[in-house]
């Protein structure tokens, strides 16, 4: 598959006709410390993609993009980014994907649902799953994008696709290389740019301007939300802001206090 724009932004790019999970394939390659940051692994036929908390990502063959990117988050000093700031990586990826898709769909219909979903008109077009390598020296960011699914292909009624959003060149057959390169090339370009700024700024999301870049595309902010926490507790309130670690600050309707929730602590985030 010819993907000139994506090739240009990736340190290394591997395309396979089919994969079980691109995150697993890239994690295996990343056990080699020479596998570079911004190494990319993709397929249009992923047979057992994962969502968060063991949920599955459903992808009819040939119609969705599954792409994983290796990030070795090192500061200019060579020090690794602290664990408290790693939560920004999936948010950077989500912001990059939101921008890439918005460039195709237009009219600011594409937004980021904190922490890991990209929505078009409120329906999910892309899910993102970040996984820390067992060695700790890298993070794999996987993204599944619904490219050419028609109404009958949608795995859940809350999903959508680029074809259904009316993107030119996205019919409901197998996805072509040009469409893949437009999405993937845009994603990798924005991701490299945001990541570069974040790392150059010492992983200080506020100081580097990354926090406001994420907040600008994040439709969760200002919404009434219901957050299901592990153990069955529910927090309802208004999503107010992102804190310095990328956690969502919710103004609780019950006690008027701000409670920060981390992605890993959220079972489900629903809009009221
Ligand atoms: P949810 O989407 O249920 O609010 P979540 O954002 O945490 O939760 P993930 O766990 O990241 O979602 O992704 C898995 C969920 O995404 C599945 O439970 C299913 O509802 C939904 N899903 C699975 N495949 C697709 C797809 N191709 N397009 C859109 N949504 C999908």
């Amino acid at each position: 598959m010819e993907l000139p724009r994506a090739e240009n932004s990736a340190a290394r790019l591997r395309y396979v006709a089919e994969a079980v999970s691109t995150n697993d394939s890239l994690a295996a390659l990343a056990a080699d410390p020479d596998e570079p940051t911004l190494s990319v692994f993709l397929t249009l036929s992923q047979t057992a993609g994962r969502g968060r908390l063991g949920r599955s990502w459903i992808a009819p063959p040939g119609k969705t993009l599954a792409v994983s990117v290796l990030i070795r988050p090192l500061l200019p000093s060579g020090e690794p980014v602290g664990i408290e700031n790693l939560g920004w990586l999936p948010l950077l990826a989500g912001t990059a994907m939101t921008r890439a898709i918005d460039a195709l769909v237009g009219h600011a219909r594409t937004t980021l649902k904190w922490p890991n979903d990209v929505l078009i008109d409120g329906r999910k077009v892309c899910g993102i799953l970040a996984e820390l390598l067992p060695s700790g020296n890298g993070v794999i960011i996987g993204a599944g994008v619904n490219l050419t699914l028609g109404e009958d292909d949608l795995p859940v009624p809350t999903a959508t696709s680029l074809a259904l959003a009316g993107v030119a060149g996205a019919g409901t057959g197998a996805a072509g290389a040009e469409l893949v390169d437009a999405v993937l090339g845009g994603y990798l370009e924005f991701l490299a740019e945001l990541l570069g700024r974040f790392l150059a700024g010492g992983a200080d999301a506020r100081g580097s301007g990354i926090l406001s870049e994420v907040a600008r595309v994040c439709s969760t902010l200002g919404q009434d939300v219901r957050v299901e926490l592990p153990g069955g507790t529910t927090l309802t309130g208004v999503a107010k802001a992102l804190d310095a670690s990328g956690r969502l600050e919710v103004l609780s309707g019950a006690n008027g206090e701000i409670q920060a929730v981390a992605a890993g602590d959220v079972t489900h985030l629903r809009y009221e």
Side-chain angles (χ1 to χ4, degrees), residues 212-236:
S212 49
E213 294 285 0
V214 176
R216 202 152 55 86
V217 297
C218 181
S219 50
T220 310
L221 299 176
Q223 297 259 13
D224 290 331
V225 294
R226 191 171 79 248
V227 187
E228 290 166 24
L229 299 164
T233 338
T234 300
L235 166 68
T236 52

Side-chain angles (χ1 to χ4, degrees), residues 9-140:
S9 293
R12 195 174 280 173
L13 186 133
R14 294 181 183 89
Y15 163 78
V16 294
E18 188 180 284
V20 176
S21 151
T22 57
N23 266 22
D24 289 352
S25 300
L26 188 54
L29 293 163
D32 177 350
D34 290 335
E35 190 65 31
T37 194
L38 292 181
S39 176
V40 174
F41 193 101
L42 73 134
T43 186
L44 301 189
S45 293
Q46 179 173 249
T47 54
R50 288 190 299 277
R52 296 185 320 123
L53 308 168
R55 293 195 278 256
S56 55
W57 183 259
I58 299 153
K63 296 187 172 188
T64 71
L65 165 66
V67 58
S68 296
V69 181
L70 170 65
I71 295 177
R72 301 214 193 259
L74 295 180
L75 299 175
S77 63
E79 286 290 300
V81 168
I83 190 114
E84 71 286 0
N85 284 320
L86 289 181
W88 283 104
L89 298 180
L91 294 173
L92 292 188
T95 300
M97 187 63 85
T98 301
R99 285 192 191 168
I101 292 177
D102 193 51
L104 300 173
V105 174
H107 307 290
R109 291 163 61 194
T110 313
T111 59
L112 177 65
K113 179 185 169 197
W114 182 95
N116 63 344
D117 292 339
V118 179
L119 312 179
I120 299 175
D121 300 334
R123 294 166 71 187
K124 187 154 151 183
V125 66
C126 164
I128 287 172
L129 180 71
E131 297 179 302
L132 191 61
L133 290 173
S135 61
N137 77 345
V139 174
I140 307 273

Side-chain angles (χ1 to χ4, degrees), residues 147-211:
L147 300 174
T148 56
L149 304 185
E151 285 289 352
D152 292 344
D153 299 316
L154 295 181
V156 287
T158 50
T160 190
S161 70
L162 296 183
L164 291 171
V167 169
T172 51
E178 231 171 275
L179 178 67
V180 175
D181 202 30
V183 177
L184 184 57
Y187 171 55
L188 295 176
E189 286 160 20
F190 286 127
L191 181 59
E193 178 203 318
L194 291 169
L195 187 64
R197 267 173 71 184
F198 176 68
L199 296 176
D204 171 359
R206 211 180 292 276
S208 62
I210 287 300
L211 191 151

